[in-house]
DNA sequence: GTGTATACGTACCGGTCAGTAACATTGTCA
DNA sequence: TGACAATGTTACTGACCGGTACGTATACAC
């Protein structure tokens, strides 16, 4: 239960293995000692069932919401059958948690390298992320942050997906405080929180309309930073 | 369909009748010409079925989410039966829309008179709202904004509840711009958007953890306003 | 070949969901 | 007293939900 949470969420992650955290029911990381690619059984064409299910779930859960999507739809889109899902995931809730972990990994890639570039200056780093984010957020069909959305869908604290989301947000908060500190902010905690509140505001309003306040987000971010960091 | 949206959402509402907008299936506002309290039929103890249903739905939908709550639960809590629900509301979606309209009314009361007081100075007005809001937002069990949450639960544009929420957010944005303008902001649109992004950030992060960035919200609001309004 | 383990499919389960049909009961007013 | 409006009572529907019992195909080991 708790193990799952700590699986991929507790590190801002400098480098990522393309192999996502499994977090599945089957705990057999054993038998990995053989060197070869371990393609194991079954047909060579395409990823195995569990991976196809993860991908299918990620897309559907993000676009339509977790509660709105049934497991039948997930497996149909994945081109597999329901028992395959339940062989790899203990329940729909656990599948949702896996989706959260995948989302988390994806997030950090986008956050640490906004627009595919890396930044040494923390101010430019944050502004680049917000620029990219707010551009996405004003486009039609934008659905905000999958992690924040899951928190809305599942108010119960012990929900596995929610736990992953909560852990993620905690790390993000710490990371933003870190960046605010690097900028030389007078009160790094306040600037970090300000940026987090701003980012969550973009997530939220971005899915409420295409023509929303996310348009002003970059200007607001600059305002916040410049008001918080003493001039050189 | 569209009619429902425009029923209560398009006015910042200075004064409120305690009578909520009905928006129910039965359009007979007629017969109101008689002066008396119009307690009409049924037993004297307590409000009539439709009102009890609205109250029950509001509480449950807010706390647990709309999708998570079945109509059976709503009617059980209301102490009525299912046919009574469907006599007053065409569908669960329409009941959700009614919940949105009630929420909207309630919101404007809280927004225009934060903490039960009225304010003439726009800066003090906004800061008071954010003070009250962020205090609520760091308490356990806080569930954010019911309207924003509904938008997360229902991504489809034509969902009745979502339409009410969208209309509401549009009005709120305008109102904040208005207040920013009254403060004498250099760029009222930007300050208005900044405040809206901040507020939505509080809604969102407030339900993610009790110990979140909403703690800093008041300081952030002051920072934003002071950086946007020229000193006298 | 035969055993064994793996990956997958077919067919099904009981429960819950939103919504309805038909009828009985109660209070109000004319 | 009788019409009417509002609600309750009971029982039902068909769709969908998450989840599972059980059989099958493939591949490697010996």
């Amino acid at each position: 239960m708790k193990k799952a949470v700590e699986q991929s969420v507790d590190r801002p992650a400098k480098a990522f293995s393309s192999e996502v955290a499994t977090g599945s029911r089957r705990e057999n990381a054993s038998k990995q000692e053989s060197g070869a690619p371990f393609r194991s059984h079954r047909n060579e064409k395409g990823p195995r069932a569990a991976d196809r299910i993860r991908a299918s779930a990620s897309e559907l859960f993000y676009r339509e919401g977790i509660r709105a999507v049934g497991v039948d739809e997930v497996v149909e889109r994945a081109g597999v059958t329901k028992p395959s899902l339940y062989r790899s995931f203990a329940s729909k809730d656990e599948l949702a948690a896996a989706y959260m972990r995948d989302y988390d990994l994806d997030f950090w890639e986008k956050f640490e390298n906004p627009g595919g570039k890396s930044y040494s200056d923390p101010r430019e780093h944050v502004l680049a992320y917000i620029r990219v984010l707010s551009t996405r957020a004003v486009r039609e069909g934008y659905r905000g942050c999958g992690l924040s959305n899951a928190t809305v869908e599942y108010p119960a604290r012990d929900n596995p997906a929610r736990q992953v989301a909560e852990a993620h947000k905690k790390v993000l908060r710490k990371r933003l405080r870190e960046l605010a500190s690097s900028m030389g902010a007078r009160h790094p905690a306040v600037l970090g929180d300000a940026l987090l509140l701003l980012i969550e505001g973009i997530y939220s309003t971005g899915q409420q309309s295409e023509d929303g306040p996310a348009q002003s987000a970059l200007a607001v971010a600059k305002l916040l930073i410049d008001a918080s960091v003493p001039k050189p």
Side-chain angles (χ1 to χ4, degrees), chain A:
Chain A
M1 291 295 169
K2 190 143 155 295
K3 193 173 23 164
V5 173
E6 294 158 348
Q7 203 144 10
S8 85
V9 167
D10 48 356
R11 274 285 60 207
K14 300 298 174 190
F16 300 89
S17 74
S18 72
E19 187 67 39
V20 293
T22 45
S24 69
R25 173 187 256 169
R26 199 174 323 290
E27 314 289 9
N28 62 347
S30 60
K31 195 163 293 183
Q32 197 89 10
E33 68 277 339
S34 72
F38 190 61
R39 177 82 289 168
S40 80
H41 317 284
R42 205 59 185 160
N43 52 5
E44 214 61 20
K45 49 179 187 291
R48 297 203 307 304
D51 293 341
R52 296 178 54 84
I53 291 167
R54 286 180 96 108
S56 163
S58 287
E59 190 180 326
L60 290 170
F61 285 169
Y62 180 69
R63 231 180 38 209
E64 322 218 1
I66 300 171
R67 293 199 116 110
V69 174
V71 291
D72 295 276
E73 198 180 345
V74 171
V75 298
E76 191 196 339
R77 178 176 202 88
V80 302
T81 55
K82 221 163 10 161
S84 282
L85 193 163
Y86 285 98
R87 271 175 220 118
S88 297
F89 305 92
S91 62
K92 186 194 176 185
D93 279 353
E94 285 300 332
L95 174 61
Y99 154 54
M100 294 284 97
R101 286 188 287 271
D102 290 352
Y103 196 98
D104 168 73
L105 251 58
D106 210 62
F107 170 87
W108 286 113
E109 169 62 35
K110 284 182 182 142
F111 183 86
E112 296 296 346
N113 302 296
K117 287 204 282 279
S118 81
Y119 292 82
S120 53
D121 179 52
R123 187 190 130 104
E124 289 311 309
H125 182 170
V126 168
L127 289 179
Y129 173 70
I130 290 182
R131 187 180 300 114
V132 172
L133 170 62
S134 57
T135 303
R136 276 207 314 148
V138 296
R139 283 210 293 262
E140 195 187 322
Y142 178 69
R143 273 284 287 158
C145 170
L147 298 145
S148 302
N149 291 355
T151 305
V152 171
E153 288 200 87
Y154 295 100
R157 301 301 287 264
D158 61 351
N159 179 278
R162 190 198 168 97
Q163 288 186 358
V164 180
E166 271 186 41
H168 165 94
K169 296 299 179 185
K170 217 163 160 179
V171 178
L172 175 57
R173 190 181 186 202
K174 204 172 101 192
R175 180 75 178 112
L176 284 168
R177 187 170 301 197
E178 203 174 287
L179 285 164
S181 196
S182 305
M183 290 182 211
R186 270 180 292 261
H187 306 290
V190 174
L191 179 55
D193 282 355
L195 292 170
L196 183 46
L197 289 164
L198 170 63
I199 288 169
E200 292 286 342
I202 299 170
Y203 293 152
S204 182
T205 63
Q207 63 187 308
Q208 288 164 10
S209 87
E210 291 101 54
D211 195 37
Q215 295 166 332
S216 310
L218 188 59
V220 174
K222 285 178 182 163
L223 202 73
L224 280 171
I225 294 173
D226 293 345
S228 304
V229 178
K231 297 275 153 54

